[in-house]
Amino acid sequence: MDVFVKGETLAGTAEEKPPIVQLEGVTKAYGSAIALSRLDLSVRAAEFFTLLGPSGSGKTTTLRLIAGFERPDTGRILLDGADVASLPPFARPVNTVFQDYALFPHLTLLENVAYGLRACKVPKADAHRRAEAALAQVRLADFGNRKPAQLSGGQRQRVALARAMVNKPRVLLLDEPLGALDLKLRHQMQLELKRLQHETGITFLYVTHDQDEALAMSDRIAVFNHGRIEQVGTAFDLYERPASPFVADFVGASNLFGAKKERLLRPEKIQLLAPEEAVPDGYEAAHGVLREATYLGAVTRYQVLLDNGESLAVMEANTLPVGERLRLAVGMKLLAAWPRAAIVNVTSDSNGGDEE
Ligand code: ADP
Ligand code: MG
């Protein structure tokens, strides 16, 4: 299986091209419930772009507006630079993949994938040739004559992908497509989706509430909260330079300090030392008591109660052989130390936490 190195996608693939999807000041309310509030969004061509946020934050509404299943109350939606307000869903250069695959049970896979092309009056031989190519793309080349019931969940989702890509949309909208799969299969499909996006060059607009999935797959991520976008950035940006306490808290585990929770310290940046140990140069430190230790194999997670009453989450990689690690027992006193530079200022006027 192809595996894409993260660094390959971090830089982004299409900086210079104009945005393929643009939302400008889009508001959408359902009765008194405001689903989206003056939303601006700009997605580049050939980008793997993810909408990440908790349930009810407006991710699905955003996709439905772009697909044309809903209309915005205010604002504009542009695809490839053109306002699509007057275009019905089928006339937009987008396609949607949902969590439930909605395949026709009585049709073969080939017929399922060719169905949309046939509906558009593509001649049968041509439609079948293109459907075969799409099935090959999702690695189901030999399965064309099977029925959906003869497939696993992961295979059915790949057929749904082939069907959505067969007419070569400019943008593929994916709404939690892996939500019904178990964890191992989900990880496989994440790689598979990355490969497909890379090979086809189709812009993927991907919705998930799972931060691990978002970090693993995306060129860029927009973090949604209550119908607004809190931050747009790479996985690195969101994790290392979160623009708000919400992002810091939602993406990865974190310690947040200060009156406005404006100081962020990631658990893995903290070292636990014996109380009498010298604090290394450039480090800050605080004394406390170990309250909890949870061994998780590759890492151990600690909870430390500092003398000032604050609680500190610490994550330590179990890299040293067992005998060489500091022996930590719940109840013992210790010194928690972290590089001063690891403290990030998460208020929106922060300059990225570079200052001391
Ligand atoms: P997400 O996909 O992030 O979970 P949604 O876009 O589905 O969020 O929903 C955003 C908000 O809009 C929620 O408060 C939800 O209850 C509301 N909402 C979405 N669709 C409808 C609808 N058809 N009728 C009423 N409220 C809706
Ligand atoms: Mg949703």
Side-chain angles (χ1 to χ4, degrees):
M1 180 176 284
D2 301 323
V3 177
F4 290 104
V5 180
K6 203 120 190 236
E8 205 177 308
T9 57
L10 270 182
T13 45
E15 264 104 352
E16 304 311 321
K17 294 181 199 159
I20 186 154
V21 178
Q22 268 176 292
L23 274 67
E24 294 176 354
V26 167
T27 296
K28 179 72 185 174
Y30 297 98
S32 61
I34 299 187
L36 293 179
S37 183
R38 299 202 56 76
L39 197 84
D40 295 318
L41 181 68
S42 177
V43 180
R44 300 171 190 140
E47 197 169 26
F48 197 120
F49 192 100
T50 296
L51 314 183
L52 171 69
S55 177
S57 58
K59 307 179 301 292
T60 294
T61 300
T62 304
L63 285 200
R64 291 177 59 80
L65 287 164
I66 294 167
F69 302 134
E70 306 274 0
R71 295 187 157 268
D73 299 333
T74 66
R76 296 203 307 160
I77 298 172
L78 299 99
L79 296 176
D80 234 351
D83 192 321
V84 292
S86 62
L87 293 183
F90 66 82
R92 300 186 181 197
V94 306
N95 243 332
T96 307
V97 179
F98 300 99
Q99 186 182 114
D100 53 28
Y101 325 116
L103 301 175
F104 297 116
H106 57 288
L107 299 184
T108 67
L109 301 195
L110 195 68
E111 289 162 344
N112 261 287
V113 176
Y115 185 88
L117 296 171
R118 295 290 289 137
C120 296
K121 308 276 190 282
V122 175
K124 189 169 181 178
D126 194 21
H128 277 200
R129 190 182 46 73
R130 284 163 66 181
E132 270 168 7
L135 280 172
Q137 209 151 35
V138 298
R139 304 183 183 216
L140 289 172
D142 299 330
F143 288 63
N145 293 322
R146 294 206 194 178
K147 298 278 177 67
Q150 295 168 288
L151 301 181
S152 68
Q155 288 171 331
R156 276 203 283 273
Q157 187 55 291
R158 283 196 266 160
V159 178
L161 278 165
R163 190 180 52 183
M165 292 192 307
V166 74
N167 63 349
K168 302 217 186 317
R170 299 294 312 280
V171 181
L172 197 60
L173 307 172
L174 304 106
D175 196 351
E176 313 236 8
L178 309 183
L181 307 178
D182 66 51
L183 188 63
K184 191 159 180 211
L185 194 51
R186 216 155 71 214
H187 284 159
Q188 281 174 16
M189 284 299 291
Q190 288 172 6
L191 292 174
E192 192 76 17
L193 284 170
K194 277 300 284 179
R195 178 186 64 78
L196 275 172
Q197 194 270 331
H198 199 86
E199 282 178 10
T200 60
I202 296 173
T203 306
F204 276 32
L205 195 45
Y206 190 91
V207 161
T208 184
H209 65 270
D210 181 335
Q211 47 128 341
D212 289 329
E213 189 161 288
L215 295 190
M217 300 177 79
S218 317
D219 294 323
R220 289 192 305 152
I221 301 160
V223 181
F224 276 63
N225 182 24
H226 286 305
R228 296 171 188 274
I229 292 177
E230 296 248 345
Q231 186 173 6
V232 177
T234 62
F236 184 90
D237 294 334
L238 300 187
Y239 192 80
E240 301 287 346
R241 308 211 184 305
S244 69
F246 178 84
V247 174
D249 212 31
F250 195 75
V251 179
S254 53
N255 295 291
L256 290 166
F257 303 112
K260 295 184 191 151
K261 304 277 177 210
E262 75 279 10
R263 282 159 58 83
L264 166 72
L265 180 58
R266 294 290 185 192
E268 73 278 9
K269 318 270 188 194
I270 302 167
Q271 290 177 30
L272 297 179
L273 310 172
E276 67 281 4
E277 260 183 271
V279 178
D281 272 355
Y283 277 60
E284 292 174 0
H287 288 275
V289 173
L290 185 61
R291 272 298 157 88
E292 229 178 273
T294 311
Y295 175 77
L296 297 168
V299 298
T300 301
R301 198 170 57 207
Y302 300 101
Q303 202 68 40
V304 178
L305 180 63
L306 298 179
D307 290 353
N308 69 4
E310 289 191 284
S311 181
L312 197 65
V314 180
M315 187 81 87
E316 202 168 73
N318 294 325
T319 46
L320 294 175
V322 174
E324 294 175 28
R325 290 181 214 154
L326 180 63
R327 300 285 280 233
L328 292 169
V330 169
M332 78 186 258
K333 293 187 170 174
L334 42 73
L335 186 62
W338 54 88
R340 207 168 280 134
I343 298 270
V344 178
N345 186 346
V346 292
T347 51
S348 46
D349 58 343
S350 97
N351 64 7
D354 295 329
E355 71 221 312
E356 296 233 326

